[in-house]
Amino acid sequence: MKIGLIIAIERELKAFLESGSQISEEEVCGYTIYNARIEGHDISAVLSGYGEIDAAAVTQLLIYHTKCEIVLNFGVTGALVPGLKVKDLFVARRALHYEYDVSPIDPVKEHQYEEYEDEFIPLDAGLIGKVKNAFPELKEVTVASGGKFIEKKEDKDDLAAQGCQICDMEIAAIARICLKNNVKCLSVKCISDTYEGDGGDFNQNVISSAEAAFGMLKQLIREL
């Protein structure tokens, strides 16, 4: 199976590059695509950089160039609610693009894209079902996704009140572009900074949390 892998930052990419797989590189439209064979599948990984715009661009590039059947994403995430610990692992069920809002001019809810039934962008239910069957302890979460690092507790509380448990800066774009291309999407996230934490906690934990997320992802690939 051809699988696309989208990684946001270099410190997360490190976990993939040091996985022990033989990796080749190719340059496409200014991006480096890293190709490897993992658990019997052809994996093409690309570094997107922070944010929804770059994530959308590389998702479309990866789908078009590699003709991948599934897009996977792994990486670190911030907690929006108390009780989530560093290195806790989750699978994303849906994403809220909290910076998107056309409700003042269109008949939709706040943050809703018109083609979805509500304000949440869904990830692939079939893939999530396989994950839950293989790893029932892995919890499903809703991800608040937008273009800024969430550090203030009042911002965390506001996003939690909208039904989100964790936050990132890419998965809303990745999931949306996958849906437009009829490609399945799955995301595994690992806590790097807790509800009480901040950017310092992120910098301290990003590498070890990314390694934990990629380790889980490798196990999930076996189930595909």
Side-chain angles (χ1 to χ4, degrees):
M1 180 183 294
K2 291 184 178 180
I3 298 175
L5 180 59
I6 297 176
I7 305 166
I9 61 175
E10 289 188 6
R11 284 174 286 180
E12 295 171 332
L13 177 65
K14 183 175 183 286
F16 171 77
L17 295 179
E18 296 180 354
S19 64
S21 304
Q22 186 174 354
I23 297 174
S24 63
E25 299 181 15
E26 57 178 321
E27 296 297 319
V28 182
C29 298
Y31 292 95
T32 301
I33 296 180
Y34 303 89
N35 297 303
R37 184 80 176 171
I38 298 177
E39 302 295 346
H41 299 288
D42 293 320
I43 309 294
S44 295
V46 65
L47 183 70
S48 69
Y50 289 119
E52 306 291 344
I53 294 174
D54 289 347
V58 299
T59 303
Q60 187 62 62
L61 172 68
L62 202 59
I63 291 171
Y64 181 81
H65 179 71
T66 70
K67 304 297 188 291
C68 56
E69 304 159 70
I70 293 173
V71 167
L72 303 180
N73 164 250
F74 81 92
V76 300
T77 187
L80 298 176
V81 295
L84 304 185
K85 303 183 297 296
V86 171
K87 293 189 181 180
D88 281 351
L89 289 159
F90 303 93
V91 60
R93 179 168 65 92
R94 58 185 188 174
L96 175 76
H97 189 187
Y98 61 85
E99 292 180 315
Y100 179 82
D101 183 18
V102 294
S103 61
I105 55 174
D106 283 343
V108 293
K109 297 178 181 179
E110 187 179 8
H111 313 310
Q112 181 182 4
Y113 288 87
E114 62 179 358
E115 62 264 46
Y116 308 134
E117 64 180 19
D118 56 28
E119 65 270 38
F120 299 104
I121 303 170
L123 280 79
D124 189 79
L127 289 179
I128 294 171
K130 286 185 177 182
V131 168
K132 294 293 291 181
N133 285 337
F135 303 95
E137 73 282 3
L138 197 60
K139 295 180 180 179
E140 298 178 43
V141 288
T142 298
V143 186
S145 193
K148 60 183 180 180
F149 186 89
I150 302 298
E151 187 175 41
K152 297 178 181 178
K153 284 189 177 180
E154 54 265 36
D155 293 335
K156 295 179 182 181
D157 292 341
D158 178 64
L159 293 172
Q162 297 181 65
C164 303
Q165 294 81 45
I166 64 173
C167 59
D168 86 339
M169 298 174 65
E170 296 83 28
I171 192 56
I174 295 170
R176 177 164 167 75
I177 297 300
C178 284
L179 284 165
K180 281 184 168 292
N181 286 271
N182 198 30
V183 171
K184 297 177 180 180
C185 179
L186 180 72
S187 179
V188 173
K189 298 292 187 182
C190 185
I191 298 291
S192 59
D193 42 298
T194 64
Y195 175 77
E196 295 79 13
D198 55 21
D201 295 279
F202 170 85
N203 285 321
Q204 179 179 340
N205 300 315
V206 58
I207 292 177
S208 60
S209 292
E211 289 172 348
F214 183 66
M216 173 56 70
L217 191 75
K218 284 182 67 176
Q219 295 182 63
L220 299 180
I221 289 173
R222 299 173 191 161
E223 306 299 322
L224 300 179

